[in-house]
Amino acid sequence: MMIPEDLRYTAEHEWVREEGGKVRVGITDFAQDALGDIVFVQLPEIGAKVSAGDSFGEVESTKSVSEIYAPLSGQITARNEALSDSPDLINTDPYEEGWLVEIQVDDPAQLSALLDAAAYGELTKG
Amino acid sequence: MTLLMSPLHERHVALGAKFAAFGGWDMPLEYAGGGVLKEHTAVREAVGIFDVSHLGKARITGSGAAGFVNATLSNDLGRIKPGKAQYTLCCDDATGGVVDDIIAYLHSDDHVFLIPNASNTTEVVRRLREAAPEGLTITNEHADYAVLAVQGPKSADLLAALGLPTEHEYMSFETATLNGVELTVCRTGYTGEHGYELVVPSADALAVWDALFAVEGIEARACGLGARDTLRTEMGYPLHGQDLSLDITPVQARAGWAVGWSKPAFWGKDVLTKEKADGPKRTLWGLVAQDRGIPRAHMQVLAGDEVVGEITSGTFSPTRKVGIALALLDASAGLTEGSTVEVDVRGRRAAMTVTKPPFVTPSVK
């Protein structure tokens, strides 16, 4: 299971990559593997306000559906429109091509409260 | 509860399968490097091999075995000759609800082999034994045989390459030998594709599995029960425990074609004949999503603000790339082919069109 060192993680299996005040968010390799083939993705509109810990979308596979939770509070600035036609990008490339949304974070200090790769790795061993 | 394991379990582990419990058996759901979509497509376009050893096996032997089965299970065995198989139902005599749906293999007047569902085998055997006259033997052979389903347009080529019979007609079976192993080759399946189900003594299952994957020039894909479910749902084939159950009669589930109505007796005849004449209070229909949204079992179906039914099976159709479902709809709602209903998908209303399954044209013959 791939867990890149340079990302931050949530216990709900989202990853977060900081890019100058904004963060890019996706679901982890562990999460996509557990879900199986992803066939639909529902994402919030650009401009939507999200609060840390709240559900803001869904990722649905052939066999189940999983909610996506905002890792940080802020405003949606971009969403991965490619997922509309190719939701399988989440399965094939969860950390790059399969990203979900970008969030302009209200308080960048929140980021340090998220899990690092080692801590997330421990969590997925459970 | 300890889950039972297929004799092929070690092969599934080696192939990186994810496992799930099916009727008390620990069976492969999907394989590493595969997944439901790839495995589904392999069966629609080439050939896939499923381990369905969890399916039950029971044998009825003795003078008048076929007559006894015909007087209890729903379908008319008189419609088929020895060497043919038939889809039939074990109904509750009092309610007409479905105890199980079963494939019955007619060997002779004195020998019938049954393949019930994993979780219902014990109950079907119990009911048959309770009713059986002196002289009949009913054995539960659940773990004695493995069942390998070889399904897809290239399934005949694959079996032919191993010297197995392939030309027999749909719903018939032949015995054959493969490397000294005696097995039964049935022209049956649960995918809607041309295919075979091999009934193999458990001790020989590994050898037969390996032989199927060793055929050169035809790449067979190991397929899990996840793909089996999307394949059967596209055909509108019912799954017992969802679309058929003790609470759902064959009249409601549109399985009346598997009932020998003119037979003198079968379990549930009186109550089902009455229900058929009166018209069922609900009927099984297909639903196709008009946009995104995947219907799932137990979701409510609405017409306006009124609940008019419930989804019994629902999934994403890999072939049509849309949500599909089987749903029991109230007769009083007056819905018919082409009607639009809404499904409550986690609090959102998703519009779906009422249709008659199958959702994808079968090519079993």
Side-chain angles (χ1 to χ4, degrees):
Chain A
M1 215 58 67
M2 210 170 55
I3 304 175
E5 287 292 329
D6 58 329
L7 305 182
R8 291 285 183 157
Y9 300 88
T10 70
E12 286 78 36
H13 308 287
E14 285 97 19
W15 57 260
V16 175
R17 174 183 290 126
E18 192 186 7
E19 289 167 352
K22 289 180 188 172
V23 294
R24 197 167 256 213
V25 178
I27 67 167
T28 65
D29 193 22
F30 179 88
Q32 71 75 21
D33 185 66
L35 275 166
D37 290 335
I38 291 161
V39 292
F40 286 137
V41 182
Q42 189 177 311
L43 298 174
E45 300 295 330
I46 290 172
K49 295 268 192 190
V50 298
S51 298
D54 285 0
S55 165
F56 70 68
E58 281 179 358
V59 175
E60 189 154 19
S61 71
T62 50
K63 58 188 185 219
S64 65
V65 61
S66 184
E67 289 191 270
I68 322 162
Y69 298 93
L72 300 163
S73 298
Q75 190 167 19
I76 303 292
T77 53
R79 39 189 240 162
N80 186 355
E81 302 296 346
L83 296 178
S84 172
D85 287 333
S86 306
D88 57 304
L89 289 172
I90 299 174
N91 293 116
T92 54
D93 195 4
Y95 296 111
E96 297 291 343
E97 295 287 310
W99 66 280
L100 300 174
V101 294
E102 265 177 16
I103 302 175
Q104 178 75 51
V105 181
D106 291 343
D107 173 12
Q110 288 179 334
L111 202 61
S112 59
L114 298 177
L115 303 172
D116 62 16
Y120 179 68
E122 281 302 311
L123 195 80
T124 59
K125 279 177 199 156
Chain B
M1 193 181 86
T2 310
L3 292 174
L4 298 163
M5 279 184 201
S6 154
L8 296 163
H9 194 84
E10 64 190 88
R11 290 292 182 274
H12 306 320
V13 171
L15 287 167
K18 280 185 207 165
F19 291 88
F22 287 85
W25 291 65
D26 196 22
M27 299 302 290
L29 186 65
E30 61 179 34
Y31 293 89
V36 171
L37 298 180
K38 273 188 193 160
E39 294 168 19
H40 181 107
T41 305
V43 172
R44 288 273 179 261
E45 294 178 358
V47 57
I49 301 176
F50 302 78
D51 177 9
V52 288
S53 300
H54 62 302
L55 293 176
K57 302 98 196 172
R59 198 179 300 276
I60 301 151
T61 52
S63 180
F68 168 67
V69 170
N70 210 28
T72 51
L73 304 187
S74 69
N75 211 335
D76 187 355
L77 271 183
R79 289 175 187 163
I80 63 166
K81 298 269 182 279
K84 296 271 287 182
Q86 182 180 65
Y87 178 79
T88 188
L89 304 164
C90 174
C91 293
D92 182 81
D93 195 38
T95 68
V98 180
V99 176
D100 200 15
D101 61 339
I102 297 168
I103 302 286
Y105 297 84
L106 182 62
H107 284 263
S108 71
D109 286 349
D110 302 332
H111 180 187
V112 180
F113 185 68
L114 302 180
I115 301 217
N117 283 290
S119 57
N120 300 325
T121 305
T122 307
E123 178 61 11
V124 169
V125 167
R126 186 191 71 77
R127 286 180 184 238
L128 289 170
R129 276 185 185 150
E130 208 171 81
E134 287 277 314
L136 284 189
T137 305
I138 299 166
T139 47
N140 185 339
E141 303 180 359
H142 202 146
D144 297 351
Y145 296 91
V147 182
L148 304 186
V150 183
Q151 302 281 307
K154 290 189 180 165
S155 57
D157 294 345
L158 185 68
L159 297 199
L162 293 169
L164 292 171
T166 59
E167 296 294 308
H168 44 312
E169 61 181 302
Y170 184 55
M171 296 300 285
S172 68
F173 61 96
E174 288 187 13
T175 50
T177 353
L178 176 63
N179 303 333
V181 176
E182 192 166 301
L183 48 83
T184 309
V185 181
C186 310
R187 273 279 284 111
T188 48
Y190 196 45
T191 63
E193 293 301 324
H194 184 103
Y196 304 84
E197 289 174 309
L198 312 181
V199 182
V200 183
S202 290
D204 302 311
L206 287 170
V208 172
W209 174 271
D210 291 344
L212 289 167
F213 284 98
V215 171
E216 283 183 29
I218 302 173
E219 197 139 330
R221 182 179 275 283
C223 296
L225 299 184
R228 193 164 184 259
D229 193 58
T230 52
L231 289 158
R232 72 93 191 168
T233 306
E234 285 188 341
M235 289 302 124
Y237 294 158
L239 174 65
H240 191 274
Q242 293 187 194
D243 318 296
L244 289 171
S245 75
L246 271 174
D247 296 323
I248 305 170
T249 68
V251 179
Q252 295 164 18
R254 270 187 224 279
W257 62 272
V259 178
W261 294 105
S262 58
K263 293 197 298 182
F266 59 89
W267 286 334
K269 183 178 180 186
D270 293 347
V271 63
L272 291 172
T273 303
K274 181 170 188 311
E275 188 185 27
K276 188 178 173 226
D278 295 347
K281 65 180 193 302
R282 55 183 189 171
T283 315
L284 197 67
W285 286 92
L287 301 181
V288 178
Q290 293 175 3
D291 40 55
R292 297 192 170 208
I294 303 176
R296 305 280 183 185
H298 309 303
M299 286 179 178
Q300 286 187 332
V301 182
L302 301 115
D305 287 331
E306 197 187 347
V307 176
V308 293
E310 184 180 309
I311 306 285
T312 52
S313 284
T315 192
F316 173 80
S317 162
T319 305
R320 292 183 55 175
K321 313 254 182 279
V322 67
I324 57 171
L326 297 173
L328 279 169
L329 303 181
D330 295 341
S332 60
L335 299 164
T336 187
E337 225 170 342
S339 300
T340 291
V341 291
E342 290 184 312
V343 175
D344 182 346
V345 179
R346 294 177 298 281
R348 283 194 306 275
R349 296 285 192 97
M352 311 225 174
T353 307
V354 176
T355 180
K356 267 192 191 163
F359 301 97
V360 172
T361 309
S363 18
V364 292
K365 306 277 166 82

